[in-house]
Amino acid sequence: MASANPFNSILKTLEKPGGGEFGKYYSLPALNDPRIDKLPYSIKILLESAIRNCDDFQVKSKDVEKIIDWENTSPKQVEIPFKPARVLLQDFTGVPAVVDLACMRDAMNKLGGDSNKINPLVPVDLVIDHSVQVDVARSENAVQANMELEFQRNKERFAFLKWGSSAFDNMLVVPPGSGIVHQVNLEYLGRVVFNTNGMLYPDSVVGTDSHTTMIDGLGVAGWGVGGIEAEAAMLGQPMSMVLPGVVGFKLLGKLRDGVTATDLVLTVTQMLRKHGVVGKFVEFYGEGMSELSLADRATIANMSPEYGATMGFFPVDHVTLQYLQLTGRSDETIAMIESYLRAIKMFVDYNEPQIDKVYSSYLELKLEEVEPCISGPKRPHDRVPLKEMKEDWHACLDNKVGFKGFAIPKESQNKVAKFSFHGTPAELRHGDVVIAAITSCTNTSNPSVMLGAALVAKKACELGLEVKPWIKTSLAPGSGVVTKYLQKSGLQKYLNQLGFHIVGYGCTTCIGNSGDIDESVASAISENGKTFNENILGCPCIRMLEADILAVFYMLPDMVAAAVLSGNRNFEGRVHPLTRANYLASPPLVVAYALAGTTQRCSDEVANVVQSSVLPDMFKATYEAITKGNPMWNELSVSSSSLYAWNPTSTYIHEPPYFKDMSMSPPGSHGVKDAYCLLNFGDSITTDHISPAGSIHKDSPAAKYLLEHGVDRRDFNSYGSRRGNDEIMARGTFANIRIVNKLLKGEVGPKTIHIPTGEKLSVYDVAMRYKSAGQDTVILAGAEYGSGSSRDWAAKGPMLLGVKAVIAKSFERIHRSNLVGMGIIPLCFKSGEDADTLGLTGHERYTINLPSSVNEIRPGQDVTVTTDSGKSFACTVRFDTEVELAYFNHGGILQYVIRNLIGSKQ
C-alpha cells in the first residue's frame, strides 16, 4: 500500500522577489548528491517526477536511486515508473479515449461503484486537430469551405467530444479550426512549470501522436505513446519505461545567410539516424543554442520520430522565456518559471559558468556548415544537398526499385506525357511537380520560414512568374497566428496569387489528405501504368527489394510524378497514390519548386519582417478565441448527462464490448489452447499494417458494414474519423493493402486462410469464424513487430478479432506494452529462432502453457509452446514488469483501474 512520501524532508518554499510565495517544491539540490549536478536536464525531469510521486508503492525509493545513478544504470536497460504531468490527445485518438472513459463509467455503475469517480486524474488537453481533406485548394474561400465539409462529415464525432468536455473533470477540449495539436501545445497549452494547488513541478507530457515531441523545443519533456498508455497515464497509472541513454548534441556557431531551419533539421536528422538514437533521449547544448530561435528548436524537436529518438530536448533558457512572453504568457507566470527552474538548477544561463553534463555519447555540429537541402524521394532522412539534386534525381531514375530508386529504363527517362488541362495543351515529364504543399506543424511553427516562403512568392510575382495551373498548391498553417502575421506583413496576397491559399488549420498533405488531383493530370500520370501482378509480387527477388514499397498499389505508374511538401512524412503512397517521388523541403523551397525555379532570399530581410509582423497580441487574440469556439462548434447540441446515451445505430460512436460480463473478480492467469494461426508474418510488420488507417476501401468488410447501415459510399469518410466505432475499426484491422501474410504464399493484401476449410477470406471474416466457433487465434511474426507510430487500435483491433497471443522475434516497446494492456500475451522466440527455422507453417494449432496463477509468472519467464504437429519450442513471455502482470491478471489495464477504484472506495 501507498505510504507517506519519504522525500518530504526536501520540500521547500519558493519565495517571490517582492514578497509572498509562488508555492512549494521538491528541491533537488537539497539532496546534496553530486551525481545530480552531472545529470542531463532531461533526466532531471524524470528524477523530479519520481521524487514528487514516491509512495513506495507505485513509485519506490529504489526507482529514485536508479535515476540518480543514471550514469551507471542507463546502460543496463533498467525499468523505471514515470508519471507525466499531463496527457495530450488529438481528436482521432481522443475519441476512443473518451469512449473508453464513458464505457468505464457504465461499468462502474453496473458494478455498484460511483461512476462519477471515473475522471482523468492528471490534466488532459484534447485538441480537435481535424485532418483537413484538401477538397478546395485554389480559392479565397478554401478555409470556410473545407471547414464546412469537415463539420458535415464529423459532426457526430465533434459533438461527442463536446459532451466529454463537460462530462469529465480535468479535461480541456480545444475546438476544431484552432490549429494543429502540436502547434497549439507549443503556443498555448505548454506550461513549462505547473503550479497545482501550490505545488510547483516541471511540465511533462505524453501524447497520442508521435510528434508530441515538438514541445521539447520549449523545455517540456514530451513524447508520443500509444492510446492505451495515454489512457493509463491519465487514470493515474505510472508508465513503465526503460531509463534511456542520452545523446549530447553540441551546437556551435550560427547558420549562414540563406540557410533555413528545415535545412538544419534535415542535417540533424541524417546525423542522428547514422549515429543511432532509437529509444534514447537527445539533448542539445552548446554556444550555438543561443543563436537558435524557439521555432527553430521546435522544428528540430518535432522531427524526433524521423531520427528515431524518444525526444530531442532543449533545456529552458532566455530564448524560452522570450518565446513565452511573445506567445502571451503573463509576466508573473514567466517569473515563476524562471525562479523555480533556477532553484532546482534546471535553468540554463549562458552568462554563468556551465557545469558539464555527462552523456551516453556525443555529437557536434557547426551550424555554419549546414547547407540548403531537401530530403527524399521516399524517406525523411534521405537528405540531398540542393547542389547535388540533379545528379541524385538521375541516379534515382536509374537505381533499382527501393528507397532511392525507380528503375526507369534509360529509353523511357525522357518520356513526355501530353494531355489537355481544361482545354490548354500541357505536358508532364519524370520529376514534374503535381503537388506543392506548405503543410504540417514541422515548419508552420516557424515564422522565419513561413515569411521566407511569402517573400519568395512576392519576388516571383514581381518577376511575373506563375505556377502551372495543374499543380495542386495549398497552405495549411499549424495555427491561426500564421494567418495574422502573413496578413500583417502584407505578404499573404502574393502566396494567394501563386495558388497557395490557406486551406485549413489541420493535418493535410503529409497525412495523405492532399485530396484529388485534376482528372486530366491523374490520367497523364497513370495511363501507361506498370502492373505488378500477384506472381511478380510473390517472387523472392522482388520481395527482397522492399515489397512494402512495390505493393503500394497493384498499379504503379510509369510516370514518376513528384510532390514537394514542407511536412515531415514523405513515404511513398502516403502523400498521394500517384506521386511516386515525394520530397521534403522548406516552405520557401516548396514555393520555388512550384515555380519550377529557384529564387534567392535574404535572411536579414526575413528577420526584419518577423520582428515587425509577429506580435504577442496575435497569439493572445488567437487563443482567447479558443475558449469561445466557433459558430459551428457552438451550435452543436449535446446532453448534460454524466453518462453517455449510446446510439445503437451510430456508425461513428459505438459502445465497445471491453467490459461485457465484467465482474469484481479478476479472471487471473490464462494460457491458450489449440489456437489457430490467424496471420503468419515476416519482419517489420508496423502499426501502419495493423491499424485501420486512411480511406475505407469500397470492397472491404468495413465498407460492407457501412452500406448495411445505410451509409452512402461518398460518406464513408476515413478510418481515422470513425475511431470511436469498434465495429468498423475491428473490420479495418489488418486491412492494409500492402500486408504480406505468409499463409497466402506470396499474394499481397488483407486476406488470410481459414485453416479448417482452406478458404481465403478477409482477415476479419476469418477471425469471426474462429470466434463464433469458440476457437482462439494467435499471430506469428518476425522482428520489430509493431514498429512505427504506435496506435491504440493496433492492440485493440487484434483483441476484438479474438487474438490471444503474438509470437514474434522481437517487439516495438510501446506496441508490446499495448498488447499487454489489452490482455494479449506477447511472446518472443528464443535467440536465433523464428517460425521458419522451427519449421512452422502457420497451419498448426498452438497451445501456450502458462502457470495457473499470475503469482507464479515472473517477468521474462520462459514457457513452452506446443503444436498439434508434434513440434514444441520455448518462448520468453514478455510481461516485463510486475505492473504488467497485474494488468494481465485483470484482463486488461482498464479493468484493472475499475476494480482498483471500486476496491479502494474512491
Side-chain angles (χ1 to χ4, degrees), residues 416-676:
V416 177
K418 296 180 181 293
F419 65 102
S420 175
F421 182 80
H422 300 270
T424 301
E427 296 179 346
L428 276 182
R429 294 175 173 81
H430 290 298
D432 278 1
V433 175
V434 295
I435 293 175
I438 301 174
T439 180
S440 165
C441 51
T442 308
N443 288 289
T444 57
S445 68
N446 196 319
S448 295
V449 294
M450 293 301 292
L451 288 164
L455 285 170
V456 171
K458 178 176 182 289
K459 292 178 180 179
C461 291
E462 290 170 351
L463 291 171
L465 301 177
E466 296 180 345
V467 175
K468 293 180 177 67
W470 55 82
I471 297 177
K472 188 163 191 176
T473 49
S474 61
L475 168 57
S479 162
V481 177
V482 179
T483 299
K484 288 183 170 61
Y485 64 65
L486 285 174
Q487 291 174 344
K488 168 74 176 176
S489 66
L491 295 172
Q492 179 65 57
K493 62 183 179 182
Y494 299 108
L495 287 165
N496 290 348
Q497 190 172 328
L498 296 183
F500 287 94
H501 294 279
I502 294 175
V503 296
Y505 304 97
C507 297
T508 54
T509 302
C510 84
I511 201 173
N513 284 351
S514 53
D516 293 334
I517 57 178
D518 191 88
E519 186 176 338
S520 63
V521 180
S523 297
I525 296 170
S526 60
E527 63 182 0
N528 295 311
K530 185 187 303 178
T531 301
F532 284 82
N533 62 33
E534 297 175 3
N535 293 330
I536 293 176
L537 286 169
C539 292
C541 58
I542 294 294
R543 288 171 62 185
M544 288 175 64
L545 300 179
E546 303 296 337
D548 188 45
I549 291 175
L550 287 171
V552 172
F553 289 89
Y554 288 109
M555 180 77 76
L556 292 182
D558 274 337
M559 185 59 66
V560 183
V564 183
L565 63 153
S566 66
N568 45 31
R569 298 289 175 88
N570 61 323
F571 302 113
E572 186 174 19
R574 180 181 174 111
V575 173
H576 192 280
L578 294 177
T579 59
R580 294 179 62 191
N582 302 283
Y583 283 96
L584 299 189
S586 66
L589 281 176
V590 172
V591 176
Y593 272 99
L595 291 160
T598 59
T599 305
Q600 295 297 319
R601 58 203 181 282
C602 170
S603 294
D604 289 339
E605 184 179 357
V606 172
N608 290 335
V609 177
V610 169
Q611 188 171 4
S612 62
S613 303
V614 185
L615 305 173
D617 286 347
M618 295 177 178
F619 292 90
K620 290 178 181 177
T622 298
Y623 288 108
E624 282 174 1
I626 281 180
T627 59
K628 301 174 184 176
N630 60 58
M632 286 180 280
W633 171 260
N634 295 336
E635 289 168 7
L636 292 175
S637 176
V638 297
S639 167
S640 60
S641 172
S642 64
L643 293 177
Y644 187 70
W646 303 99
N647 178 0
T649 64
S650 171
T651 57
Y652 277 96
I653 308 297
H654 184 263
E655 183 179 12
Y658 305 143
F659 309 110
K660 186 179 180 181
D661 301 325
M662 179 181 170
S663 68
M664 276 300 295
S665 300
S669 175
H670 52 279
V672 177
K673 185 174 177 60
D674 291 332
Y676 285 102

Side-chain angles (χ1 to χ4, degrees), residues 120-444:
L121 297 180
V122 302
V124 173
D125 299 322
L126 196 161
V127 180
I128 303 186
D129 174 13
H130 63 301
S131 295
V132 180
Q133 182 80 16
V134 187
D135 295 284
V136 182
R138 290 194 173 191
S139 165
E140 293 285 355
N141 301 318
V143 172
Q144 183 66 19
N146 284 321
M147 178 67 80
E148 289 174 358
L149 287 168
E150 289 303 302
F151 265 82
Q152 290 172 17
R153 292 167 175 150
N154 302 305
K155 182 178 180 179
E156 186 178 349
R157 181 162 57 94
F158 291 166
F160 176 67
L161 292 175
K162 187 175 180 180
W163 167 81
S165 68
S166 59
F168 296 103
D169 297 333
N170 225 9
M171 179 183 288
L172 170 68
V173 175
V174 177
S178 304
I180 293 173
V181 57
H182 319 305
Q183 185 75 23
V184 175
N185 193 25
L186 189 76
E187 294 176 354
Y188 179 65
L189 299 173
R191 280 74 155 181
V192 184
V193 172
F194 265 89
N195 188 341
T196 303
N197 300 322
M199 178 63 71
L200 305 175
Y201 52 96
D203 188 4
S204 57
V205 59
V206 293
T208 53
D209 187 276
S210 56
H211 291 98
T212 300
T213 55
M214 188 176 187
I215 198 66
D216 300 324
L218 194 66
V220 175
W223 60 87
V225 296
I228 297 167
E229 262 192 323
E231 288 183 32
M234 73 187 194
L235 291 169
Q237 297 303 303
M239 292 172 46
S240 179
M241 61 179 290
V242 174
L243 188 59
V246 182
V247 177
F249 200 121
K250 190 173 186 178
L251 297 173
L252 301 169
K254 182 180 180 180
L255 291 173
R256 291 180 290 128
D257 190 52
V259 176
T260 70
T262 314
D263 302 322
L264 172 59
V265 75
L266 293 178
T267 302
V268 168
T269 298
Q270 186 182 51
M271 290 176 65
L272 289 170
R273 290 283 298 199
K274 183 177 180 180
H275 185 75
V277 293
V278 174
K280 298 177 183 177
F281 290 174
V282 176
E283 186 167 293
F284 295 89
Y285 70 105
E287 64 187 55
M289 289 278 283
S290 61
E291 298 293 338
L292 282 186
S293 70
L294 199 290
D296 288 351
R297 298 176 182 192
T299 305
I300 295 171
N302 195 31
M303 288 285 275
S304 294
E306 279 65 53
Y307 47 79
T310 301
M311 67 175 181
F313 186 75
F314 291 82
V316 176
D317 58 15
H318 70 284
V319 175
T320 319
L321 301 183
Q322 289 169 0
Y323 182 80
L324 292 173
Q325 188 174 40
L326 172 67
T327 50
R329 273 75 162 194
S330 70
D331 291 342
E332 183 174 353
T333 296
I334 295 171
M336 179 266 291
I337 289 170
E338 182 176 2
S339 298
Y340 168 71
L341 293 177
R342 284 186 182 275
I344 62 170
K345 295 186 177 181
M346 285 186 62
F347 184 85
V348 181
D349 190 332
Y350 298 105
N351 295 319
E352 298 176 354
Q354 301 295 303
I355 298 175
D356 290 338
K357 303 296 180 183
V358 174
Y359 295 109
S360 308
S361 59
Y362 298 81
L363 284 174
E364 181 176 296
L365 174 63
K366 295 178 181 177
L367 295 176
E368 61 268 20
E369 294 179 356
V370 177
E371 57 184 323
C373 57
I374 60 176
S375 181
K378 302 181 184 184
R379 295 189 300 184
H381 52 276
D382 290 331
R383 188 179 71 93
V384 184
L386 269 185
K387 63 185 181 183
E388 299 174 13
M389 180 57 190
K390 184 176 181 180
E391 179 183 349
D392 188 82
W393 171 251
H394 285 290
C396 287
L397 288 178
D398 290 334
N399 293 343
K400 66 183 182 182
V401 172
F403 291 122
K404 294 289 289 186
F406 297 104
I408 303 298
K410 286 284 188 185
E411 63 273 14
S412 301
Q413 292 184 8
N414 294 320
K415 177 181 176 180
V416 177
K418 296 180 181 293
F419 65 102
S420 175
F421 182 80
H422 300 270
T424 301
E427 296 179 346
L428 276 182
R429 294 175 173 81
H430 290 298
D432 278 1
V433 175
V434 295
I435 293 175
I438 301 174
T439 180
S440 165
C441 51
T442 308
N443 288 289
T444 57

